[in-house]
Amino acid sequence: NTNHNNHNNHNNNNKMTTATSSSLSLSPQDIIETGVSIDTFAPQFLWLPMIVAPRSNLTKQLMGSLVPILGLSLVHFIIVAVAAGQEGATSQIALFGEVFDPALSQWGGMTKMFQFPNFVAEEWPHVLVWDLFVGRMIWLDGIDRSIDTRIA
């Protein structure tokens, strides 16, 4: 009887472990979607102090460091790595070569690239993180030169 109870407990534990692990696993598209959301909304909260209170100590602590930019860049890198591992990614990367071929239309190449959801998922965070990086540099320059950069 004890063996029967132990066997049932073991089966229940396996079922619970399987249910828990399957509910915690994310698909590649879930990872990409989550990364895009993070890199879309997090920069807004980092821009706000540079605009509202550019000279405050809190803003200087938060944005004086490259850590926020590096963190968002890591999220962007994860999006790129996961997207590059998807089916068809190699042909999409080869298509990207058209953008840098002077004999072809660069605009045409980019237009083709934007037809792929994973390219859009990579490009959007790239733009937002880069803009934040450049905005931070303008803000730092304004602090150094005592210039109000809120409208820059």
Side-chain angles (χ1 to χ4, degrees):
N1 201 10
T2 304
N3 283 341
H4 180 70
N5 286 340
N6 285 341
H7 179 71
N8 283 342
N9 284 341
H10 179 71
N11 282 342
N12 287 339
N13 286 340
N14 280 344
K15 287 178 187 174
M16 190 183 317
T17 302
T18 302
T20 303
S21 66
S22 66
S23 66
L24 293 177
S25 65
L26 294 173
S27 72
Q29 286 311 117
D30 289 338
I31 294 168
I32 291 169
E33 180 76 31
T34 300
V36 170
S37 292
I38 291 168
D39 273 357
T40 296
F41 295 111
Q44 295 175 37
F45 296 103
L46 297 169
W47 273 107
L48 195 60
M50 289 190 296
I51 294 167
V52 173
R55 300 206 182 299
S56 80
N57 287 335
L58 178 63
T59 304
K60 289 175 182 176
Q61 277 185 309
L62 179 64
M63 294 309 295
S65 166
L66 274 175
V67 170
I69 305 292
L70 293 174
L72 293 171
S73 296
L74 177 62
V75 172
H76 176 245
F77 175 76
I78 291 168
I79 294 168
V80 171
V82 172
Q86 298 297 297
E87 186 176 328
T90 306
S91 61
Q92 293 172 25
I93 293 168
L95 184 60
F96 192 65
E98 286 187 26
V99 175
F100 296 100
D101 186 341
L104 299 173
S105 166
Q106 287 67 51
W107 179 65
M110 287 302 290
T111 301
K112 288 178 189 175
M113 293 302 300
F114 274 102
Q115 294 174 8
F116 297 105
N118 282 346
F119 178 75
V120 175
E122 176 281 322
E123 191 62 18
W124 178 241
H126 173 87
V127 168
L128 295 175
V129 174
W130 179 253
D131 283 354
L132 182 64
F133 173 74
V134 172
R136 177 186 172 273
M137 297 305 293
I138 292 169
W139 168 76
L140 285 171
D141 186 52
I143 295 295
D144 285 347
R145 297 201 276 157
S146 297
I147 298 171
D148 186 355
T149 59
R150 288 183 276 197
I151 59 169

